[in-house]
Amino acid sequence: MKTASFVSIVTAISYLFNSVTAQNDNPFHWPDSQNVVSPFAQSGKMEAIGRTGVAAMHATLLNEKTILIIDKAEWNEAQFDSGESAFSVQYDLETNSYRPLPLETNTFCSAGGFLANGSFISTGGGEKRGRTWKAEPGWQSIRHFTPCTDSSCLWEEYKTGKMTQNRWYPTVEQLPEGDLFIIGGSTKGTAVNRAEVNVPSYEFWPPRPEGEVFFQFLKDTMPYNLYPFVFVLPDGNLFVFANKKSIIYDYKNQKIVKELPKIPGNPRSYPLTGGAVMLPLDPENDYNVEILICGGSEHMKNYASADDTCGRINLGDEDPQWEMDTFVHKRLMPDGVIMADGNLLWVNGCQRGWAGYNGRNHDATLDPLIYTPTAPLKKRWTQNLASTDIARMYHSVALTLPDGRVWIAGSNNVDPPDINAEYPTEFRVEYFSPPYLFKTATRPLISHVPRVVTYDESFEIFLNLEGLANTDSNPASKIRVGLLRTGFSTHSMHMSQRYVFLKHEVSDDLQTLKITAPPHAAIYPPGAGMLYVLFDGVPSNGTEIFVEKDLNVLQI
């Protein structure tokens, strides 16, 4: 009886939902005149819609409409007319369909980021592959992809010799200068890094005159130093973390600025993989930086216990120390994404094992968590959210979308793919709609957002708060503006992910916002992002905007 009643309620709500969608073209609008309360206002909503075609080992948001998905060279559902498997696709967010993209080099365990001119760059990869998929070695490959919303864009590959070293499991971070910082990795595939294959160096793309630069830190953090966590700081230096150690590094002068204390608990780097997020930057506290690192595992054993702690460090303190918090659930290989409202969603991962193929991952963690950075310690976690029944462990991804949902895909911890495995290769896509999408009957509407702005430039956009601010005594105080770069998602990494709140002024009639772009490129490296306007935590649809340093375009 309880189930039938619930179904009836959901059916009725679904009818209202669909009716309003047709009228307003807003899939999260609820009719306030009917006094309908969404059943998802506390839990959010998880839906399985669409298929990726290829195992989503890597993914990045290209623009408002498409995602680029990359796998290694292996069998996949997506195939060309020749019968050869694809291992990269362009995914259409409006139709939940994909277009296979030819690739000639193996992208296994690669990295990626965007140049200032908007081109996506894929770096490194793995060994030569054959059978019904064919790929040349990708160890030193550089691949360019210029985003589009039609079927015109294709990969352009520089197959070998473009990087100074083979790099398997490197990290890429977008720099204030508009180019890419490429760090670490190993010279070939390995379960865990070893001295004979370690690559303790960094380089740049496009190449800089200094070429490859030796980096002692990646020797000191052996063997857990693959896919190090790297964030550009507002002062132009880098935060670099591997294993349990972290430093602030001046890459322009090749020197360590500060050594930070070790994080308590287990190692947090591959294959004892945790996740890291630089918390949103805010002009109200002078863009003070705090880093959050969560999860990991105790041993390289198939049933080792995952770590259930998070460490948070305030780099603005005179003597920064790690503040430890619970991670609520034990979690290895988590994905931490910054949502449209500036809070963090943690999804994916498992409770036992270590990162790798064939039986190394167990006990999938199916419950999302929301972390509120501005809340006091012990009150930052939101639980009891809409869960999933899809295990997403080794090689899972997650990205925040322009409409405020989170796109979740991947998991292929069985090699070769086996449909009878305990955790088979996963091609289904899920969309998590956070509670903020069901909090109110309407959402802020924005228009006339410029396509390109320069640093510290002021620009105006139009705002519509109909149904939101009518009964509020001080509505302007509840308006915030955020700029999100979702980054490159792979192996619990979200390379170059960052969120910056922007200074703004609200007109007396609440219909115009005067917004100031980020003050300089170390706050937000040049390139694209999604601009959101929030009212009391409810985000508008994001609009893509480019922050440009100058009119010069990087040349390769």
Side-chain angles (χ1 to χ4, degrees):
M1 184 67 182
K2 185 180 294 185
T3 301
S5 299
F6 178 77
V7 171
S8 300
I9 293 170
V10 172
T11 301
I13 291 173
S14 178
Y15 174 79
L16 291 170
F17 176 90
N18 292 332
S19 299
V20 175
T21 298
Q23 295 173 19
N24 297 281
D25 193 29
N26 179 359
F28 305 105
H29 180 104
W30 290 85
D32 50 349
S33 61
Q34 301 296 320
N35 196 30
V36 174
V37 177
S38 167
F40 312 113
Q42 299 298 321
S43 65
K45 185 178 182 181
M46 187 78 76
E47 300 173 281
I49 306 172
R51 298 178 75 81
T52 56
V54 301
M57 183 180 295
H58 321 77
T60 192
L61 183 68
L62 294 175
N63 45 46
E64 293 177 10
K65 296 182 178 181
T66 59
I67 288 174
L68 179 65
I69 306 174
I70 311 169
D71 186 19
K72 71 174 184 179
E74 64 178 339
W75 181 90
N76 277 302
E77 287 184 355
Q79 298 185 359
F80 301 103
D81 291 342
S82 64
E84 183 178 341
S85 291
F87 52 100
S88 179
V89 300
Q90 181 181 353
Y91 187 90
D92 188 309
L93 291 166
E94 294 180 335
T95 63
N96 288 294
S97 59
Y98 58 81
R99 176 174 68 97
L101 299 169
L103 267 174
E104 296 183 2
T105 57
N106 189 5
T107 45
F108 185 29
C109 298
S110 53
F114 289 85
L115 297 176
N117 64 8
S119 292
F120 174 74
I121 307 297
S122 168
T123 68
E127 70 280 2
K128 180 179 180 179
R129 300 278 285 180
R131 300 189 188 179
T132 58
W133 54 92
K134 299 176 183 178
E136 299 175 39
W139 306 114
Q140 293 185 33
S141 296
I142 293 286
R143 310 167 194 88
H144 288 220
F145 190 88
T146 301
C148 65
T149 55
D150 55 20
S151 299
S152 63
C153 43
L154 294 170
W155 284 102
E156 181 180 2
E157 299 182 72
Y158 300 87
K159 295 183 180 180
T160 192
K162 287 299 179 180
M163 290 193 294
T164 60
Q165 290 274 4
N166 288 5
R167 293 192 187 271
W168 187 82
Y169 275 80
T171 293
V172 162
E173 178 74 356
Q174 295 168 230
L175 294 176
E177 294 84 355
D179 55 353
L180 301 179
F181 180 80
I182 308 170
I183 180 172
S186 59
T187 59
K188 63 179 182 179
T190 180
V192 66
N193 212 356
R194 310 188 309 274
E196 60 269 26
V197 299
N198 185 32
V199 185
S201 67
Y202 62 84
E203 57 187 290
F204 303 87
W205 187 260
R208 292 190 181 186
E210 55 263 49
E212 181 186 13
V213 179
F214 173 72
F215 196 53
Q216 178 66 38
F217 180 79
L218 291 181
K219 295 189 75 173
D220 298 340
T221 51
M222 285 287 287
Y224 307 117
N225 66 358
L226 297 175
Y227 276 151
F229 303 138
V230 181
F231 299 103
V232 170
L233 302 177
D235 63 3
N237 294 316
L238 298 174
F239 172 88
V240 185
F241 178 101
N243 199 327
K244 298 171 67 172
K245 295 183 177 182
S246 53
I247 59 173
I248 297 175
Y249 184 72
D250 179 353
Y251 64 91
K252 293 180 283 292
N253 295 298
Q254 301 176 15
K255 65 179 183 180
I256 294 175
V257 175
K258 180 180 288 188
E259 293 189 8
L260 299 167
K262 288 184 180 179
I263 190 171
N266 298 314
R268 314 281 176 155
S269 300
Y270 180 89
L272 306 181
T273 306
V277 179
M278 183 171 71
L279 302 182
L281 301 175
D282 193 334
E284 292 185 5
N285 62 14
D286 198 26
Y287 305 103
N288 183 58
V289 177
E290 294 190 71
I291 308 292
L292 180 71
I293 297 178
C294 294
S297 186
E298 59 182 356
H299 300 297
M300 288 174 53
K301 294 182 179 180
N302 292 357
Y303 286 90
S305 182
D307 196 293
D308 61 358
T309 65
C310 293
R312 176 168 165 171
I313 191 166
N314 186 343
L315 300 187
D317 288 347
E318 186 173 334
D319 181 25
Q321 299 293 321
W322 291 98
E323 174 192 79
M324 300 307 295
D325 194 2
T326 178
F327 197 17
V328 183
H329 310 293
K330 295 178 179 179
R331 200 181 296 244
L332 161 72
M333 299 179 294
D335 277 290
V337 299
I338 307 174
M339 298 189 295
D341 65 349
N343 292 329
L344 278 54
L345 178 73
W346 291 92
V347 293
N348 303 338
C350 62
Q351 300 175 61
R352 295 192 178 278
W354 54 299
Y357 283 113
N358 296 332
R360 295 177 185 172
N361 325 150
H362 301 278
D363 299 340
T365 308
L366 305 175
D367 300 316
L369 296 167
I370 290 176
Y371 180 89
T372 304
T374 55
L377 182 65
K378 307 300 183 184
K379 296 183 178 181
R380 293 171 180 157
W381 295 102
T382 299
Q383 302 181 56
N384 301 318
L385 300 169
S387 61
T388 179
D389 59 0
I390 300 176
R392 299 195 187 274
M393 301 185 292
Y394 196 51
H395 298 150
S396 298
V397 294
L399 296 166
T400 297
L401 299 180
D403 66 12
R405 293 180 296 173
V406 177
W407 183 90
I408 305 169
S411 197
N412 64 330
N413 66 339
V414 179
D415 184 27
D418 178 4
I419 61 173
N420 296 314
E422 180 183 9
Y423 302 111
T425 297
E426 187 56 64
F427 295 101
R428 287 174 291 176
V429 173
E430 287 178 294
Y431 289 86
F432 178 72
S433 300
Y436 57 58
L437 293 177
F438 307 99
K439 182 178 178 181
T440 55
T442 59
R443 296 170 62 182
L445 300 175
I446 60 175
S447 64
H448 295 73
V449 178
R451 180 66 170 164
V452 179
V453 298
T454 56
Y455 289 100
D456 213 30
E457 174 187 352
S458 292
F459 59 95
E460 289 190 351
I461 68 171
F462 291 168
L463 175 65
N464 185 340
L465 296 177
E466 183 179 358
L468 290 169
N470 298 342
T471 60
D472 201 292
S473 60
N474 186 17
S477 66
K478 293 188 175 181
I479 295 174
R480 304 208 74 186
V481 181
L483 183 62
L484 171 65
R485 175 169 291 155
T486 56
F488 177 77
S489 178
T490 186
H491 292 76
S492 302
M493 298 285 292
H494 293 81
M495 302 176 192
S496 303
Q497 178 181 227
R498 67 202 295 123
Y499 190 107
V500 180
F501 285 108
L502 302 181
K503 295 179 179 179
H504 62 277
E505 299 175 9
V506 187
S507 63
D508 291 340
D509 61 6
L510 302 179
Q511 294 184 16
T512 304
L513 273 178
K514 184 178 181 181
I515 301 170
T516 303
H520 55 78
I523 297 289
Y524 192 90
M530 292 296 160
L531 183 78
Y532 297 95
V533 173
L534 308 164
F535 184 83
D536 197 20
V538 177
S540 66
N541 275 297
T543 299
E544 186 177 45
I545 189 170
F546 283 81
V547 184
E548 199 170 63
K549 194 169 185 179
D550 52 42
L551 298 179
N552 295 323
V553 176
L554 290 171
Q555 299 294 326
I556 304 304

